[in-house]
Amino acid sequence: MKPDLFQAPDYYQIDELLSDEHKMVRDAARSWVKREVSPIIEDFAQRAEFPTQIIKGLAEIGAFGPYIPEEYGGAGLDQISYGLIMQEIERGDSGVRSTSSVQSSLVMYPIWKYGSEEQRKKYLPKLASGEFIGCFGLTEPDHGSNPSGMTTNFKDNGDHYLLNGAKLWISNAPFADIAVVWAKNEEGRIHGLVVERGMDGFTTPETHNKWSLRASATGELIFDNVKIPKENILPGKSGLGAPLGCLDSARYGIAWGAIGAAMDCYDTALRYAKERVQFDKPIGATQLQQKKLAEMITEITKAQLLAWRLGVLRNEGKATSAQISMAKRNNVEMAIKIAREARQILGGMGITGEYSIMRHMMNLESVITYEGTHDIHLLITGLDITGMSAFK
C-alpha cells in the first residue's frame, strides 16, 4: 500500500488569509484523511462499496454539520472552516465528501433552518454524531434540472399525511436512517418532510453499475402510501426556495471540495514528473509537462481565491445564489480538466488504482452534473447578469 505523500499547494500564500482556527480545522481533517481514507479508498472504490467504518471519524473531525450551533451537536464553525473540511475530504474522495455534504447541507441544514425546535433537538445531535445518517430527496426520474415539475406528493389524511412518489440518484439512500423529502401538497405547494427508515411503504433500493462515485452509496427513495406523522413536516419554509436554499449550502461545499480533488491530481502529477525519467531526464524537465503543471497550479490558485472570497461573503451573509453557482461550476470544471491533464502526465500508470487520478476523474464526472449541471449553472449566471431567463 502506497503512503499518502500529499503536500498541499499554496502558490499565493493563501494560508495567510486563514485564521489559526481555520488552519487547525483543516489540518485535523487532512491528517484524518491521510490516516483513515487514503489507505483504504482505492479498494472500496474498486469494490463499489462505501466504507461505513469511517462514519464515526467523519463526525469526530466535524464533517457533519460543522456550522450547526453547538447546542444541537454541531461544531459551531464558520463557512470557511466548512469549506476547508470539504476540500480535505474530497482530496481523499468525492464520494466520501458527498456523504458529508449531504448530511451537513441537505439534511442538517434544512432541519436547522426550516425545522421546529422539537425536530432540531430530535434529529440534529444524532446526525452530528453520525448515529443517524440522512439523505435528501429532490431529484426524480423525470425531473432533474427542473425540480418544480416534481410529481411526488402528499395528502392530508386526518391525523397524518400520505406520501407517494419516487426520488432518484440519492446519495446515502441505501443506509440512511432519515430522508428529508420534498413533495407537493394537494395545492401543489412544495414542502419538506422527514421520512424515517422503517415506515411502511418506504424503500431505498441501491443503484448499481456506476463508473463514478463508486465508493459512495447511491439509491432511490420509493414512497408507496407512506404514513407521515404531521409533526414531521418542516414548518419554517415552503416552496421551491426551501430546497434551493439547501442546494446553495451544498454547492458552496462542492466549490471547495473540487479544489481538494484538483490538488491531489496536481500533487500526484508533479511528484511523478520529477521522478519519471525518459530520454535520460525527468519528464518534468520538458516544456510540454511544465506547461501542464504551470497551468494546473494557476487554475488551482484562482479557484482557491474564488472559494475563499465566497466564504467571506457567506460568513457576512452577503453571498448570492448566483455567486455560489459561479464558484461551483468554475471549480468543478477546473478540477476535471486538471484530472485529465494529470492522467496524461502519468501515461499508462494514470489509469491504474495505484494512483488516485483516474478515480478522481471518474468521480468528477458526477460532481460536474449533480447539484446543478455545468450548463444549468451557466444559465443561472446568465440570468443574473442579463435579467433574462433562458430556462424556457
Side-chain angles (χ1 to χ4, degrees):
M1 187 175 295
K2 295 188 69 170
D4 185 342
L5 301 175
F6 174 72
Q7 291 184 299
D10 186 12
Y11 202 74
Y12 262 41
Q13 300 173 27
I14 294 168
D15 265 19
E16 294 182 4
L17 300 173
L18 305 178
S19 69
D20 289 342
E21 182 179 59
H22 292 149
K23 287 180 278 193
M24 180 180 69
V25 167
R26 181 201 60 197
D27 292 348
R30 182 174 296 168
S31 296
W32 179 82
V33 167
K34 285 194 172 193
R35 184 176 65 252
E36 303 293 338
V37 178
S38 299
I40 65 169
I41 197 63
E42 299 296 346
D43 181 52
F44 276 86
Q46 291 284 358
R47 290 191 278 125
E49 182 181 339
F50 176 76
T52 54
Q53 70 267 30
I54 69 172
I55 287 175
K56 182 180 178 183
L58 283 167
E60 288 173 351
I61 63 168
F64 295 150
Y67 49 78
I68 299 294
E70 293 182 59
E71 64 182 296
Y72 301 119
L77 299 172
D78 74 351
Q79 290 293 306
I80 292 176
S81 292
Y82 168 50
L84 288 165
I85 294 172
M86 296 302 102
Q87 172 186 285
E88 296 305 315
I89 294 175
E90 189 145 2
R91 204 279 299 177
D93 187 75
S94 299
V96 177
R97 198 268 309 140
S98 293
T99 294
S100 55
S101 273
V102 168
Q103 184 91 332
S104 297
S105 291
L106 301 183
V107 180
M108 298 178 73
Y109 180 89
I111 293 173
W112 173 45
K113 284 291 187 180
Y114 313 144
S116 65
E117 187 63 15
E118 291 73 23
Q119 290 168 340
R120 295 186 191 110
K121 290 178 177 177
K122 179 179 180 180
Y123 296 114
L124 291 178
K126 291 183 177 180
L127 290 163
S129 70
E131 180 182 346
F132 277 6
I133 293 295
C135 64
F136 175 86
L138 180 64
T139 299
E140 297 187 356
D142 295 321
H143 298 93
S145 295
N146 177 28
S148 63
M150 70 173 65
T151 58
T152 298
N153 65 90
F154 64 98
K155 296 179 180 178
D156 193 325
N157 222 34
D159 63 347
H160 63 271
Y161 298 117
L162 210 56
L163 178 66
N164 282 281
K167 302 293 183 176
L168 186 63
W169 304 121
I170 309 301
S171 294
N172 301 351
F175 56 77
D177 299 285
I178 67 169
V180 174
V181 177
W182 302 93
K184 289 180 177 176
N185 66 9
E186 291 164 272
E187 289 75 45
R189 184 75 176 174
I190 294 171
H191 289 265
L193 304 101
V194 179
V195 184
E196 300 179 14
R197 184 170 295 281
M199 290 180 171
D200 288 342
F202 175 41
T203 55
T204 59
E206 187 166 0
T207 302
H208 296 288
N209 299 321
K210 298 183 299 178
W211 287 111
S212 181
L213 296 181
R214 289 174 59 82
S216 175
T218 309
E220 301 174 58
L221 304 177
I222 308 296
F223 314 106
D224 182 9
N225 288 321
V226 182
K227 292 181 179 179
I228 308 294
K230 288 198 168 179
E231 61 265 26
N232 281 32
I233 196 166
L234 300 179
K237 189 175 177 68
S238 64
L240 189 58
L244 292 183
C246 307
L247 289 174
D248 272 352
S249 181
R251 289 163 175 171
Y252 168 75
I254 291 170
W256 280 91
I259 297 171
M263 284 178 166
D264 197 58
C265 292
Y266 165 77
D267 182 64
T268 301
L270 177 61
R271 187 175 300 108
Y272 188 89
K274 290 178 177 180
E275 297 171 354
R276 174 66 169 171
V277 175
Q278 291 290 282
F279 303 106
D280 302 320
K281 67 179 181 180
I283 62 172
T286 65
Q287 290 184 6
L288 284 176
Q289 304 311 322
Q290 288 192 8
K291 175 182 183 294
K292 290 184 177 74
L293 292 165
E295 289 176 342
M296 286 182 197
I297 190 59
T298 302
E299 294 306 311
I300 287 171
T301 300
K302 288 156 63 176
Q304 287 175 311
L305 290 166
L306 191 64
W308 174 80
R309 178 57 185 161
L310 185 60
V312 171
L313 292 173
R314 288 276 289 176
N315 280 340
E316 296 174 351
K318 295 178 182 177
T320 67
S321 295
Q323 288 170 334
I324 295 168
S325 279
M326 175 185 283
K328 190 273 184 181
R329 180 195 58 79
N330 179 83
N331 290 7
V332 178
E333 182 183 36
M334 171 276 300
I336 203 166
K337 286 180 176 178
I338 284 177
R340 290 167 181 161
E341 289 287 271
R343 207 290 304 159
Q344 290 197 57
I345 290 175
L346 267 68
M349 292 305 297
I351 72 165
T352 72
E354 186 175 352
Y355 296 93
S356 61
I357 293 172
M358 196 71 178
R359 175 171 49 82
H360 282 306
M361 190 191 306
M362 293 191 300
N363 286 342
L364 289 164
E365 289 291 349
S366 290
V367 181
I368 205 168
T369 295
Y370 68 25
E371 314 285 1
T373 69
H374 180 80
D375 291 345
I376 287 294
H377 285 299
L378 281 171
L379 295 184
I380 291 171
T381 303
L383 169 61
D384 193 50
I385 61 178
T386 68
M388 296 179 284
S389 175
F391 286 101
K392 294 181 181 180

